[in-house]
Amino acid sequence: MADNHSLELLIQSLRRLPGVGVKSAQRMAFHLLQHDREGAVQLARALEHAAGSVKHCSLCHTFTEDELCPTCRDPRRDHSQLCVVETPADQAAMERTGAYKGLYFVLMGKLSPLDGVGPRDIGLQKLFDRISSEADLREVILATNFTAEGETTAHVIAQALKGRGVQVTRLARGVPVGSELEYVDLGTIAHALVDRR
Ligand code: ZN
């Protein structure tokens, strides 16, 4: 097997991707090496570049290559509202509705006690610090997913924000139970935003 070390290393590396087992990793590796060497090199360069240059926005925690992301830098955003979402994909879904003009905080995860993911792992303190530092903030909109973990996360944040002088709302239940925002159609999200409680 010594002469196949490179191939083995590639397959092991591909298995780091979520949902990719040995068979899928082998299929990807064989495809790249057999049919798309150019794509393989491009993928390697893109990965190396992104891993070296993408970091977290110092205000909202989303991915960005600068100190602040474009949304946080935009002077037209409404600083009275802060929307809390789980992932950059969920943030993008909210943005696509065009119905929200406020600020964001991206948790980059969700509370999941069964998997050992606690408040510290998803940067909740950073969220609370942000809320304290936004002088004009009046409302925090909890737009975590309508899954068990998303609901738990929203509940914990809502409890922690009691008595902090900001209104805390949750996206309305037009969004199907168990669904992730990223996959919900735009009209439904826009309605859930308007009907938030
Ligand atoms: Zn930002």
Side-chain angles (χ1 to χ4, degrees):
M1 275 307 277
D3 62 332
N4 259 340
H5 178 72
S6 301
L7 181 58
E8 200 50 46
L9 186 64
L10 174 58
I11 292 168
Q12 288 305 324
S13 302
L14 287 166
R15 286 194 64 195
R16 286 171 169 265
L17 293 168
V20 175
V22 178
K23 284 210 169 131
S24 303
Q26 280 175 341
R27 216 177 306 129
M28 289 180 201
F30 295 162
H31 169 80
L32 287 169
L33 295 174
Q34 181 66 28
H35 302 292
D36 197 5
R37 291 267 169 145
E38 201 180 314
V41 172
Q42 195 184 343
L43 176 64
R45 287 201 184 121
L47 279 172
E48 189 172 15
H49 185 74
S53 62
V54 176
K55 50 197 175 191
H56 292 289
C57 172
S58 63
L59 280 180
C60 75
H61 219 203
T62 197
F63 287 131
T64 178
E65 292 191 41
D66 301 303
E67 181 66 18
L68 294 178
C69 73
T71 308
C72 288
R73 281 203 308 266
D74 186 349
R76 291 163 303 178
R77 302 301 299 205
D78 179 357
H79 281 241
S80 72
Q81 292 182 319
L82 182 85
C83 181
V84 180
V85 293
E86 291 180 19
T87 66
D90 295 336
Q91 180 187 16
M94 285 291 290
E95 280 297 284
R96 279 197 301 273
T97 67
Y100 181 70
K101 301 290 177 212
L103 304 170
Y104 287 95
F105 189 88
V106 185
L107 296 168
M108 293 290 179
K110 59 199 168 219
L111 289 178
S112 185
L114 290 179
D115 300 317
V117 182
R120 218 167 282 165
D121 300 300
I122 60 168
L124 281 192
Q125 191 53 50
K126 210 171 168 207
L127 167 64
F128 300 146
D129 292 346
R130 172 86 194 277
I131 288 168
S132 306
S133 67
E134 282 287 343
D136 297 328
L137 189 66
R138 288 200 312 272
E139 180 184 2
V140 174
I141 302 167
L142 301 175
T144 50
N145 291 321
F146 288 89
T147 56
E149 290 100 342
E151 295 285 16
T152 302
T153 307
H155 179 75
V156 168
I157 294 171
Q159 289 298 315
L161 291 180
K162 271 188 179 162
R164 287 220 188 195
V166 286
Q167 192 188 2
V168 180
T169 56
R170 176 86 171 111
L171 280 195
R173 277 262 183 229
V175 180
V177 175
S179 62
E180 302 190 6
L181 221 51
E182 181 184 352
Y183 303 111
V184 177
D185 73 275
L186 301 185
T188 303
I189 297 177
H191 274 121
L193 183 62
V194 171
D195 296 338
R196 68 187 182 275
R197 298 151 304 157

